[in-house]
Amino acid sequence: QVQLVESGGGLVQPGGSLRLSCAASGFTLDYYTIGWFRQAPGKEREGVLCISSLDGSIYYADSVKGRFTFSRDNAKNTVYLQMNNLKPEDTAVYYCASDPGVRIAASSDCYRYLEVWGQGTLVTVSP
């Protein structure tokens, strides 16, 4: 069964950090494009990060550049989103996405082309 499972969300104060995890089963994440996106209450989805296995391109949203970092542990078939200097506007449900049938270049909305999504993990940034 192909699936992604996120974890690591929670409540954090402004300026704090969290590391989100996205563990895959049924396919090898390292081979395929990975996207992280978020959706805040009442707002549209926003692509946060995209890592392409097609050409190695990487996209970070301007709103998170310099604060969020992607990493992976291939042995665990898991990718991570390290989020530092969190702001209240980062409050959202965060999702990872990938697809063993798709290899595309990185873009702001690459997640729309990836059919395997995790269940989401809530990040709340509040004093």
Side-chain angles (χ1 to χ4, degrees):
Q1 183 179 4
V2 173
Q3 67 175 353
L4 297 171
V5 177
E6 295 112 341
S7 60
L11 174 64
V12 63
Q13 293 185 342
S17 297
L18 283 173
R19 188 179 77 160
L20 306 184
S21 300
C22 173
S25 59
F27 70 110
T28 302
L29 267 178
D30 190 34
Y31 297 164
Y32 304 104
T33 295
I34 299 163
W36 283 94
F37 66 99
R38 64 188 180 185
Q39 188 160 24
K43 295 188 177 180
E44 294 186 356
R45 292 181 188 133
E46 177 190 13
V48 172
L49 166 71
C50 185
I51 302 288
S52 172
S53 62
L54 178 65
D55 58 8
S57 54
I58 303 173
Y59 165 83
Y60 281 97
D62 287 342
S63 57
V64 307
K65 278 181 182 176
R67 300 188 298 123
F68 289 14
T69 305
F70 174 85
S71 64
R72 67 170 85 227
D73 184 335
N74 291 337
K76 295 182 178 180
N77 204 19
T78 299
V79 297
Y80 304 96
L81 183 66
Q82 177 67 42
M83 307 186 296
N84 297 329
N85 190 22
L86 283 161
K87 305 176 180 180
E89 52 263 42
D90 294 319
T91 296
V93 179
Y94 284 73
Y95 301 85
C96 61
S98 190
D99 191 324
V102 174
R103 299 182 72 193
I104 55 175
S107 66
S108 61
D109 65 346
C110 75
Y111 65 92
R112 298 183 187 277
Y113 304 96
L114 308 174
E115 292 196 357
V116 182
W117 293 8
Q119 83 285 1
T121 186
L122 176 62
V123 172
T124 303
V125 185
S126 179

